[in-house]
Amino acid sequence: MEDRAPSLIPETQSSPVSLDAEILQLRQQIQNLTNHRAALTAALLSSPSSQTLLARAKAQPSPSPQASVLEKRTKEQRRQNVQNSYRMCAGATMFEGRDPDPNAVVEGRIVGVRIEVFNRRTRTFRPPYYLLLNRPHSGSPFLRLHRHTIPPCIPLQRLVAKYLPSLAPDNGESSGLQNIARLVRDLRQELISYHLRQEAVMALGEPKAPGADAEQHNGVKEVKAVDAENRDIRIEWEDGTVGRIAVDNSGNLEKVVVMNHQSSRMREKERSILSAKTLGNLVQTIV
């Protein structure tokens, strides 16, 4: 009987689930490192010391190619800093435009609102949302909803009915006072709250790194939102325990029901989850 040569590759008995979790962990680490590098690059290019060194390099009789590349990157970063400042300080901006539809009313003139939402997980701005309004006829001071890019789960129609009252059928004018500022403010708050809940659900479902965090994860198998608004959250543990969490618009925990594989309520676990009070706290101390 021949002796088999020892394998140089260690044998592992990792399950497909653990391998998928490791892959997700590596992808998350890569994303975090990429975001960290981008933040360091932005800070370095924007620092006064870098500007001084660049000015000295440009003052040389024959600037190096690296100085030209650095100057280009610095100008790009400066433009990005200005854009980020506007987007952070003015979360909603208004503009005028024209609808290319030849059959549009009032020659297609529209009033647009651009709404910014920041993604805390990736530390970047999300694609802006747009709300387009027009007037029923020329000379009318009243606005009505024309087009928009708001997600269907956001109660836009309810806000429009509240702050842009519908037009009266007899004279075509608004049946009440309109308040575009309140509409934009409440709509932006709805969008921010929606994305904060979405980010919290994604953070709850992320695989934890080995070590203390893995122990803190406590066998959570899956976390997902049951509804489009991210207000009804389902948590499944590896032992078959299932929990449902109801949250309000601000992410506060309203009600928790946890049942084991025998369909019995687990009151202690429910109280432990409710003690977090908000989804954000629950991410930090996931049960």
Side-chain angles (χ1 to χ4, degrees), residues 19-277:
L19 289 177
D20 291 341
E22 291 179 6
I23 292 173
L24 290 175
Q25 292 173 15
L26 291 174
R27 288 178 176 173
Q28 184 61 40
Q29 291 176 8
I30 292 173
Q31 183 63 47
N32 293 338
L33 291 174
T34 301
N35 295 338
H36 186 58
R37 183 184 65 177
L40 292 177
T41 301
L44 181 61
L45 293 175
S46 304
S47 65
S49 58
S50 298
Q51 303 295 326
T52 302
L53 292 175
L54 179 60
R56 292 177 181 176
K58 291 171 58 178
Q60 297 295 328
S62 55
S64 63
Q66 291 81 1
S68 301
V69 174
L70 181 59
E71 181 182 9
K72 180 180 178 181
R73 292 290 303 275
T74 302
K75 290 181 179 180
E76 293 175 354
Q77 185 61 47
R78 190 179 298 114
R79 287 194 295 268
Q80 186 65 46
N81 291 343
V82 173
Q83 183 182 18
N84 290 343
S85 299
Y86 276 106
R87 299 180 78 174
M88 290 178 62
C89 298
T93 54
M94 296 187 66
F95 60 91
E96 293 183 349
R98 186 175 296 273
D99 189 345
D101 185 358
N103 298 320
V105 297
V106 199
E107 299 179 351
R109 291 192 295 270
I110 60 173
V111 176
V113 180
R114 169 175 167 151
I115 301 176
E116 304 284 357
V117 179
F118 188 74
N119 189 334
R120 299 193 304 176
R121 287 168 54 84
T122 61
R123 298 182 181 275
T124 58
F125 283 96
R126 298 179 180 274
Y129 293 100
Y130 291 95
L131 187 69
L132 304 181
L133 310 169
N134 64 4
R135 304 183 188 280
H137 56 80
S138 179
S140 173
F142 300 100
L143 295 170
R144 62 182 181 182
L145 181 63
H146 180 51
R147 301 179 189 275
H148 66 87
T149 62
I150 308 300
C153 58
I154 302 298
L156 175 60
Q157 296 300 331
R158 175 173 61 82
L159 295 176
V160 170
K162 180 178 181 180
Y163 296 117
L164 297 182
S166 59
L167 303 179
D170 52 350
N171 56 13
E173 295 296 356
S174 173
S175 57
L177 296 178
Q178 295 189 332
N179 194 332
I180 183 82
R182 290 288 301 275
L183 169 64
V184 174
R185 188 192 68 178
D186 288 6
L187 178 59
R188 183 169 182 265
Q189 184 60 48
E190 289 281 350
L191 289 168
I192 292 175
S193 299
Y194 163 73
H195 283 293
L196 287 178
R197 296 193 303 270
Q198 184 183 62
E199 293 170 10
V201 172
M202 294 176 64
L204 284 172
E206 284 181 349
K208 302 301 178 181
D213 290 341
E215 296 177 358
Q216 200 176 36
H217 199 240
N218 198 18
V220 174
K221 180 180 179 181
E222 183 184 37
V223 179
K224 66 178 181 180
V226 179
D227 62 338
E229 297 180 352
N230 298 298
R231 293 185 180 181
D232 187 358
I233 301 168
R234 182 181 187 273
I235 301 181
E236 181 179 357
W237 285 264
E238 294 178 353
D239 60 359
T241 302
V242 176
R244 296 288 289 270
I245 304 175
V247 301
D248 63 9
N249 190 54
S250 301
N252 299 314
L253 306 184
E254 291 185 326
K255 187 175 181 180
V256 177
V257 175
V258 180
M259 305 185 72
N260 59 21
H261 64 283
Q262 298 178 346
S263 300
S264 299
R265 293 281 295 271
M266 304 181 66
R267 305 287 183 178
E268 185 176 352
K269 186 177 284 289
E270 292 175 359
R271 288 191 293 269
S272 176
I273 295 176
L274 280 174
S275 65
K277 296 185 179 180

